[in-house]
Amino acid sequence: MLSLVVRPLRGAVWVITANDSSRQIAAGVALGMMLGLVPKGNLIALALGVLLCALRVNKTAGVMAAAAFSAVSVALDTFTHRLGAHLLKVESLQGFYAWLYDQPLGPWIGFNNTVVLGSLVLGVYLAYPCYVAAESLLARIQAPIAAWIKRFKLARWLLGVDVSSRLGINPTLGGGS
């Protein structure tokens, strides 16, 4: 039960204090935003999840952004439905949609669902602005906040520094002292 509370806190502290660059964290946030906006249960969401795990981005930031934007996506369903319905009615794309649906995994891609298509287009449209905003914010605040967080015992405990130092383990080397 305690791990349900500690794990998200540890993840948030780890995102700020990790040695990842602000670009890697921002890329994780942008990819997590796209994953969070798209409804789950289709190959698009699966592909975005695989990209989040396979690319060199901050996975904790991506998962946290996906969870946050999954909650927001419910409020955007009416907008994404209208956007997807409009895109599905475009005459010049009808042949592409038919070809895509006739492919072996076509029905599981989810392009025939208005909310999935609208959410994907919205996510792709917002990915770059989300990346730029997160990167510029993190470039300014990551180092001062990391220094401030590391001063507190709770943050050091969440990161495991106190536990490893008591056991005689050097956290940078991963072995005994």
Side-chain angles (χ1 to χ4, degrees), residues 72-92:
V72 172
S73 70
V74 175
L76 296 173
D77 276 352
T78 56
F79 173 73
T80 56
H81 166 69
R82 283 186 276 156
L83 178 63
H86 177 70
L87 290 171
L88 283 175
K89 292 177 186 174
V90 173
E91 276 300 315
S92 60

Side-chain angles (χ1 to χ4, degrees), residues 140-163:
R140 281 184 280 155
I141 68 168
Q142 184 180 12
I145 289 181
W148 182 73
I149 286 175
K150 287 180 181 179
R151 291 188 341 201
F152 296 101
K153 250 189 190 293
L154 177 63
R156 288 193 308 264
W157 178 74
L158 284 172
L159 292 172
V161 173
D162 283 346
V163 175

Side-chain angles (χ1 to χ4, degrees), residues 4 31 35 38 41 46 63 81-82 96 107 113 118 139 149 166 172:
L4 291 175
L31 199 54
L35 178 61
V38 174
L46 181 67
V63 169
H81 166 69
R82 283 186 276 156
F96 172 70
N113 185 336
I149 286 175
R166 286 187 186 146
T172 58

Side-chain angles (χ1 to χ4, degrees), residues 19-103:
N19 288 331
D20 289 346
S21 69
S22 58
R23 294 156 123 201
Q24 287 177 326
I25 298 171
V29 168
L31 199 54
M33 182 266 311
M34 288 178 60
L35 178 61
L37 286 179
V38 174
K40 312 318 173 262
N42 53 55
L43 286 180
I44 293 172
L46 181 67
L48 288 171
V50 167
L51 275 176
L52 179 65
C53 293
L55 295 177
R56 190 174 184 147
V57 298
N58 190 301
K59 288 150 187 57
T60 306
V63 169
M64 291 173 75
F69 280 99
S70 289
V72 172
S73 70
V74 175
L76 296 173
D77 276 352
T78 56
F79 173 73
T80 56
H81 166 69
R82 283 186 276 156
L83 178 63
H86 177 70
L87 290 171
L88 283 175
K89 292 177 186 174
V90 173
E91 276 300 315
S92 60
L93 294 175
Q94 294 300 315
F96 172 70
Y97 293 141
W99 172 82
L100 188 62
Y101 192 80
D102 289 339
Q103 297 306 306

